[in-house]
Amino acid sequence: MPNIHAFATQSDLSAAAADLFVQLATASQKPLFFVALSGGSTPQALFKLLATPPYANALPWEQIHFFWGDERLVSPDDPGSNYGQAKALLFDHVPIPAANIHRVKGELPSGLAIVDYVDQLNQAVDDCGRAWPHFDLCLMGMGADGHTASLFPGPISTVEKTQPVMTVTAVYEDRPANRLTLTPLVFNDARYVLFLVTGEKKAEAVTAVLHGPPDPEKWPAQRIQPHHGQMDWFLDQA
């Protein structure tokens, strides 16, 4: 069962997440610290905090390597790009080496984007014999339908169970999008998974995912169950 933390406001939640980010990154005994970021509106406040003192000054930017849990297959300057959001709110304001940012090449055809991202994961491997890094922190969000990353309700494909990366075509809140996502193979291998979930419209899904019977096809966030790592949920009061 994950640890569940409720905060009075989204600002309190974001501050706690920023504190945790700094704590994990500075306490790590490894030479590199691997992070998978999420998109959407909830992490925006976290990115802004990490880009400003005291957080920005406390982080070892040269050691932190950023990936994304999922991405829309769009150009990096598209308003829907998760990378573009993180760049504008975080990377443009801190001394992060360009080589430490491993974005999905969303402007490529989907097959080439997968090959490229899998190659980036392989090149960043910190242990011999692994196909992807042992992520130190995976930031996750959740939609009102229970999806997380780009894992949506519906049958669980063989690709999701056997490959670290897959493409998805999904319509969420009337916004159709072609996407690339890491799969539970990668998320469940992480040392620390942190869900950031805010807003009253997600309350039903939170209750179902955390307290309802197992139904991972209906509630994809239930597919995230770290094998050995820690998982926390940060929720606002709504």
Side-chain angles (χ1 to χ4, degrees):
M1 187 69 184
N3 302 305
I4 302 169
H5 307 268
F7 298 90
T9 67
Q10 185 172 348
S11 294
D12 293 338
L13 177 152
S14 299
D19 289 338
L20 178 61
F21 192 107
V22 171
Q23 175 189 335
L24 293 174
T26 56
S28 176
Q29 300 300 309
K30 297 162 62 250
L32 301 178
F33 186 81
F34 291 101
V35 180
L37 296 178
S38 61
S41 59
T42 300
Q44 291 181 11
L46 169 61
F47 295 163
K48 291 178 182 178
L49 286 175
L50 295 178
T52 56
Y55 302 105
N57 299 337
L59 285 165
W61 295 107
E62 69 284 351
Q63 296 174 252
I64 305 173
H65 283 251
F66 291 94
F67 288 79
W68 276 262
D70 73 321
E71 179 63 280
R72 294 176 179 86
L73 293 178
V74 296
S75 64
D77 57 356
D78 187 282
S81 168
N82 290 340
Y83 159 77
Q85 173 179 278
K87 179 179 184 297
L89 298 177
L90 176 57
F91 301 140
D92 284 349
H93 309 283
V94 297
I96 179 78
N100 291 19
I101 299 172
H102 308 272
R103 72 174 183 89
V104 175
K105 304 292 195 323
E107 66 274 21
L108 297 176
S110 61
L112 293 179
I114 282 187
V115 170
D116 180 84
Y117 203 47
V118 167
D119 186 55
Q120 291 190 64
L121 291 166
N122 289 339
Q123 290 185 23
V125 165
D126 51 349
D127 298 311
C128 293
R130 297 178 57 87
W132 57 81
H134 195 170
F135 279 97
D136 298 285
L137 174 62
C138 288
L139 289 176
M140 313 286 293
M142 189 187 71
D145 63 351
H147 87 268
T148 188
S150 285
L151 307 172
F152 287 88
I156 300 173
S157 70
T158 300
V159 174
E160 182 176 326
K161 296 178 180 179
T162 59
Q163 301 298 321
V165 181
M166 68 178 189
T167 54
V168 178
T169 300
V171 177
Y172 181 63
E173 295 182 345
D174 298 322
R175 300 194 304 270
N178 295 316
R179 304 164 184 249
L180 181 150
T181 186
L182 297 180
T183 67
L185 292 178
V186 179
F187 294 128
N188 290 333
D189 182 54
R191 292 185 168 91
Y192 201 113
V193 174
L194 177 62
F195 273 88
L196 305 178
V197 185
T198 61
E200 185 177 358
K201 69 178 183 179
K202 299 179 182 179
E204 179 183 355
V206 167
T207 300
V209 170
L210 294 177
H211 304 296
D215 192 352
E217 290 193 349
K218 183 176 181 180
W219 305 109
Q222 289 186 339
R223 303 175 199 172
I224 309 306
Q225 302 287 341
H227 302 310
H228 306 291
Q230 181 173 337
M231 180 163 67
D232 284 7
W233 283 66
F234 281 14
L235 312 171
D236 68 353
Q237 196 59 49

